[in-house]
Amino acid sequence: MQHQVSQCLLGANLTTEDQHSFFLEYWYDGSARSQSDWQQWLQHNQRLQVIARQAEWQTAAAANLAWQNTAFNAASNLRRHNLFA
């Protein structure tokens, strides 16, 4: 637990006699956005793209789309569940 958020890392490493190494890691980051957060973010962006087709709303929609990029700064990981092999 860090700042009331769970984080977990599990990993395995195997090195063969021929010196080939294999790594497998899974990590969970509770501070990253959830699947439902990403779905809402995507739906909002799709609505903004529809609004942006209307000339009088293009500037406002563009500014809101730019603001939407703050989702990438929410945590060090984009997803809560991650796998590396």
Side-chain angles (χ1 to χ4, degrees):
M1 293 290 289
Q2 181 177 355
H3 305 292
Q4 302 299 321
V5 176
S6 296
Q7 295 177 318
C8 176
L9 172 67
L10 301 171
N13 175 9
L14 171 69
T15 303
T16 67
E17 290 182 15
D18 298 334
Q19 300 301 308
H20 293 105
S21 293
F22 300 93
F23 297 92
L24 181 64
E25 290 183 351
Y26 165 81
W27 66 97
Y28 172 83
D29 185 354
S31 67
R33 297 198 181 266
S34 68
Q35 182 66 26
S36 64
D37 288 340
W38 283 112
Q39 289 172 346
Q40 290 173 359
W41 182 80
L42 179 61
Q43 291 169 354
H44 183 75
N45 281 340
Q46 289 170 341
R47 287 190 300 269
L48 284 173
Q49 290 175 10
V50 171
I51 292 170
R53 293 187 188 116
Q54 302 169 16
E56 64 273 9
W57 291 101
Q58 284 182 346
T59 302
N64 203 302
L65 280 169
W67 173 80
Q68 286 286 94
N69 286 330
T70 59
F72 298 115
N73 299 329
S76 59
N77 292 299
L78 293 177
R79 297 286 187 171
R80 287 190 177 177
H81 300 275
N82 301 275
L83 184 66
F84 172 76

